[in-house]
Amino acid sequence: QVQLVESGGGLVQAGGFLRLACRASGGTFSRYALGWFRQTPGKERDFVARITRNGGSRYYADSVKGRFTVSRDNDRKTVFLHMNNLRPEDSAVYYCAARPTILTDNSDYSSVSDYHYWGQGTQVTVSS
């Protein structure tokens, strides 16, 4: 079983940049596909990005494509979400999630139900 802890959230002006990190403990990090989701009060948790276990495939929600980049460092057991050109509508609690996969699995994994493990979330607020 893997435990996930997010960090890096905060308050930023529109057009600004943030980098979120999610560090894992327990389990074998390199065996997991990792996803980022976000949620605002009263709404469902939405998919943001996914990266495969070896980092070879990345998949993004249309709303963040071209502005956000997901990456991972398996030696540091950490997944990152680099967020550029932030907009007020990007404000949300951001969660990382993990699921075990096989090495050749490039499925999208864009649903909440696809993931087994979740972090506690980190708040991102973008002011206009």
Side-chain angles (χ1 to χ4, degrees):
Q1 186 166 346
V2 63
Q3 293 79 42
L4 303 170
V5 178
E6 301 95 337
S7 62
L11 174 64
V12 64
Q13 288 187 331
F17 165 85
L18 278 177
R19 187 185 76 163
L20 304 183
C22 174
R23 180 166 174 80
S25 60
T28 303
F29 185 74
S30 60
R31 293 182 180 176
Y32 293 88
L34 301 164
W36 284 98
F37 289 74
R38 63 188 182 186
Q39 189 171 24
T40 54
K43 295 190 176 181
E44 294 185 349
R45 194 168 294 188
D46 291 331
F47 171 76
V48 175
R50 182 277 285 142
I51 187 166
T52 49
R53 52 185 276 179
N54 64 358
S57 171
R58 306 173 191 189
Y59 180 63
Y60 299 93
D62 288 343
S63 59
V64 306
K65 202 172 294 183
R67 300 188 298 123
F68 290 13
T69 302
V70 59
S71 64
R72 66 189 292 165
D73 184 335
N74 283 351
D75 290 336
R76 295 168 59 187
K77 297 186 177 181
T78 303
V79 60
F80 301 96
L81 185 67
H82 308 257
M83 306 185 294
N84 289 309
N85 192 19
L86 282 160
R87 304 167 180 169
E89 54 264 38
D90 294 319
S91 297
V93 177
Y94 282 72
Y95 298 89
C96 68
R99 66 161 288 144
T101 65
I102 61 174
L103 188 59
T104 55
D105 187 352
N106 288 329
S107 302
D108 291 344
Y109 293 133
S110 59
S111 297
V112 169
S113 59
D114 289 331
Y115 292 86
H116 300 194
Y117 307 107
W118 291 85
Q120 84 291 345
T122 185
Q123 176 71 48
V124 171
T125 304
V126 184
S127 63
S128 58

